[in-house]
Amino acid sequence: MLPFTTDQFFAVFASYNAAIWPAQLGAYLVGAAALAFALRGGRLAGRVVPAALAAMWLWTGAAYHLLHFAAINPAARLFGGAFLLQELLFLGAAASGRPLAFGPMRGGSRRSFGLFLVAYAAVLYPLLGRLVGHPWPEVPSFGVTPCPVTIFTFGVLLLARGRGSAWLLAVPALWAMIGGSAAVLLAVPQDWMLLAGGDAAAGVPLP
C-alpha cells in the first residue's frame, strides 16, 4: 500500500514544476551539452558528460525528493540520499584519471538504443504523459525528475565506449525497479522504458 494517493502524487509534480520554473529549460541545456560531448568524444567529454549527469542527479535528489516528494512519502528521504550518492559517483568519474570514454562509434543496437533513450527521456516521455491525460504541470519534467533523469542516464551510458563502470549503474538500476512500478501502480505507462533501459545499460543483449 502506497502512503499517498495517485492524485497526491501528480499534485507534487504540479507544485514542483511551478516552483522550479524555468529550471526545466536549464535541464534541457545541460542534457544537450552532455549529448553533444558524448557524440563528439575526446578527453574532455569523459569529464563533462558525467559532470552533467551529476548535476541532474544532485538537483533531482535534493529539490524533488527531499524538498517536495518527502512531503507525501517518507521513503523519499532514502531516495534523495541515493540520488545524492549517484551524483557523487558521477563526480568521481568526472575527476578520475580514467573517466568514461566517449567518441564516434560504428552503428549498432547499443548506440542506436542509447540515442533512442535520450530522445525518449527528453521528448517522448513528456509527450506520452500528455497523451495519457496529464496536463503539463503534472508531467515529470526532463532532467529534474527521477524517471526521465534515469532513462537519460541509461541512454548516455550506452553511448560510452565499452561497458563503462558497473558501479555507475547500481543506483539507476535500483530506481528503474522502483520507478518502473509506477507504470502500473500510478498509471505512468511511460515509465516502462526504465526497465528496458536498465537491461540494456547492464549489458543484456539487444535484439
Side-chain angles (χ1 to χ4, degrees):
M1 179 69 68
L2 294 173
F4 51 86
T5 67
T6 300
D7 288 342
Q8 288 176 318
F9 178 71
F10 286 107
V12 167
F13 282 114
S15 62
Y16 173 67
N17 278 321
I20 68 170
W21 176 261
Q24 295 89 337
L25 301 180
Y28 273 99
L29 293 177
V30 172
L35 177 60
F37 274 93
L39 294 177
R40 178 184 178 186
R43 181 176 296 274
L44 187 58
R47 302 187 185 281
V48 171
V49 174
L53 294 175
M56 290 184 174
W57 284 80
L58 169 62
W59 180 285
T60 304
Y64 174 75
H65 278 307
L66 297 181
L67 297 181
H68 285 81
F69 193 33
I72 65 168
N73 186 6
R77 295 180 179 85
L78 296 176
F79 301 155
F83 271 62
L84 295 180
L85 171 62
Q86 184 64 31
E87 170 250 341
L88 293 176
L89 293 177
F90 276 128
L91 286 181
S96 171
R98 295 181 296 172
L100 291 170
F102 294 92
M105 297 185 297
R106 294 180 179 180
S109 58
R110 176 183 171 88
R111 178 181 175 85
S112 297
F113 193 57
L115 290 172
F116 169 75
L117 288 178
V118 167
Y120 184 92
V123 180
L124 296 179
Y125 189 103
L127 288 179
L128 287 173
R130 293 299 304 275
L131 287 175
V132 298
H134 298 294
W136 174 80
E138 295 182 357
V139 175
S141 298
F142 171 77
V144 292
T145 56
C147 295
V149 165
T150 303
I151 294 170
F152 181 75
T153 298
F154 287 143
V156 170
L157 292 180
L158 284 170
L159 299 178
R161 292 174 179 170
R163 295 296 179 184
S165 300
W167 47 272
L168 289 175
L169 286 171
V171 175
L174 176 62
W175 186 258
M177 292 185 289
I178 295 172
S181 66
V184 175
L185 297 176
L186 296 167
V188 189
Q190 60 267 41
D191 283 347
W192 283 116
M193 195 56 64
L194 279 166
L195 303 176
D199 284 347
V204 175
L206 296 170

